[in-house]
Amino acid sequence: MHSSQSHPQSTTTTTTTNNHHHPTFPPPESESETTWVWTQIKAEARRDAECEPALATHLYSTILSHPSLDRSLSFHLANKLSSSTLLSTLLYDLFLLSFSSDPSLVSSAVADLLAVRQRDPACVSFSHCLLNYKGFLACQAQRVAHRLWLQSRRPMALALHSRVAEVFAVDIHPAARIGKSVLFDHATGLVVGETAVIGNNVSILHHVTLGGTGKVGGDRHPKIGDGVLIGAGATVLGNVKIGEGAKIGAGSLVLIDVPPRTTAVGNPARLIGGRERPVRHEDVPGYPK
């Protein structure tokens, strides 16, 4: 996995909802990010249960009855992905064992929660992301499937992959490698191929395909650098490299390498400014300001 590009510890961002300030990042003197985010999630769930009593049982069973984020996430994923023959109790044990055995899975989930809360203005709370953002949930399930894939537990990895595709309409091969602080916004129709690599601080919208050309085997899928933004409906095909901080316009078909901090648009995609002297931008969409 890639190393995390963490947010500056001196930065605390707040939003205002119902005249209350809710920090979206832990203050620098706070406890660990995982503890801080879990504390925020529980406080949000209690507030929502009071405001909307019809959701109280749901919030208690998914969040408030659990002592930790990994147990809450394991329970929620297990219930979402279970079927009549793939039982929720089996999946809960599988997820919980994976999270407890590999702390990087939990830290990646926390980094994704922070990324969604900061980058998506439609995300009103951490608990909203944890419960309702299928892009976030699909990503966490894929991380577990990827771990199983590396352990040569490929039938179980592929079974998880299949259930995620059925339930969330998100198709990410368990062999694909995904960094931290990732935002899959909306996520419907997202397809990520077997040898694809997605870096840290990447934002990808719905109906994006990171696929192969169909003409070659082996290492045949895109490599997405840190801080890349890929717009809705874009298709990136083949073992091409999308450089750090690049932007891919909505609906583009990308068959070429895209240099760092440049923008590719169109079908077939061309670099803004031309291939010889592409226009470079200084801002990186996925990096914390």
Side-chain angles (χ1 to χ4, degrees):
M1 298 297 289
H2 298 266
S3 61
S4 173
Q5 171 104 18
S6 61
H7 60 79
Q9 288 298 312
S10 61
T11 300
T12 301
T13 307
T14 61
T15 56
T16 303
T17 306
N18 298 329
N19 297 321
H20 296 290
H21 292 280
H22 302 292
T24 59
F25 280 119
E29 70 279 2
S30 75
E31 62 270 49
S32 74
E33 284 185 345
T34 300
T35 302
W36 183 87
V37 168
W38 178 236
T39 300
Q40 296 294 312
I41 289 171
K42 288 191 295 183
E44 293 163 357
R46 291 190 193 97
R47 179 196 67 208
D48 292 345
E50 291 175 3
C51 295
E52 196 62 69
L55 291 176
T57 299
H58 172 58
L59 292 167
Y60 179 79
S61 64
T62 53
I63 293 175
L64 295 174
S65 65
H66 300 282
S68 61
L69 176 60
D70 58 330
R71 288 182 177 272
S72 172
L73 184 55
S74 296
F75 177 86
H76 192 42
L77 283 172
N79 279 281
K80 285 282 191 181
L81 298 176
S82 64
S83 69
S84 59
T85 55
L86 197 60
L87 302 183
S88 61
T89 50
L90 181 150
L91 289 176
Y92 175 77
D93 290 341
L94 177 69
F95 284 123
L96 188 58
L97 178 61
S98 297
F99 288 131
S100 59
S101 302
D102 188 350
S104 71
L105 294 175
V106 179
S107 64
S108 294
V110 170
D112 293 348
L113 283 165
L114 290 166
V116 175
R117 190 73 177 92
Q118 184 197 39
R119 289 183 226 155
D120 184 1
C123 183
V124 299
S125 66
F126 291 112
S127 61
H128 172 49
C129 178
L130 172 65
L131 294 177
N132 304 320
Y133 268 49
K134 67 179 186 178
F136 168 79
L137 293 170
C139 186
Q140 310 322 309
Q142 192 277 343
R143 294 188 201 283
V144 173
H146 181 69
R147 185 173 187 273
L148 295 170
W149 186 267
L150 295 179
Q151 294 173 335
S152 296
R153 297 182 63 186
R154 296 190 174 183
M156 181 58 76
L158 291 168
L160 271 184
H161 166 230
S162 176
R163 287 300 295 157
V164 169
E166 290 174 24
V167 174
F168 298 132
V170 178
D171 190 334
I172 310 174
H173 194 281
R177 290 183 286 153
I178 301 176
K180 293 185 178 182
S181 300
V182 171
L183 167 60
F184 294 147
D185 198 2
H186 300 290
T188 299
L190 173 64
V191 177
V192 180
E194 179 181 9
T195 61
V197 177
I198 298 173
N200 303 310
N201 299 291
V202 171
S203 299
I204 299 178
L205 277 80
H206 54 288
H207 287 293
V208 165
T209 297
L210 305 181
T213 62
K215 298 179 180 178
V216 295
D219 192 359
R220 62 197 183 279
H221 295 106
K223 309 299 180 280
I224 310 300
D226 296 346
V228 168
L229 171 63
I230 304 181
T235 299
V236 187
L237 298 181
N239 188 13
V240 299
K241 293 180 174 59
I242 310 301
E244 178 187 12
K247 299 177 185 178
I248 308 299
S252 298
L253 172 61
V254 180
L255 303 171
I256 59 173
D257 289 351
V258 178
R261 298 176 188 252
T262 63
T263 302
V265 295
N267 183 357
R270 291 175 171 80
L271 301 177
I272 291 182
R275 198 168 219 176
E276 300 303 318
R277 303 182 67 180
V279 175
R280 293 175 62 88
H281 49 262
E282 294 303 316
D283 64 304
V284 176
Y287 285 0
K289 301 291 191 292

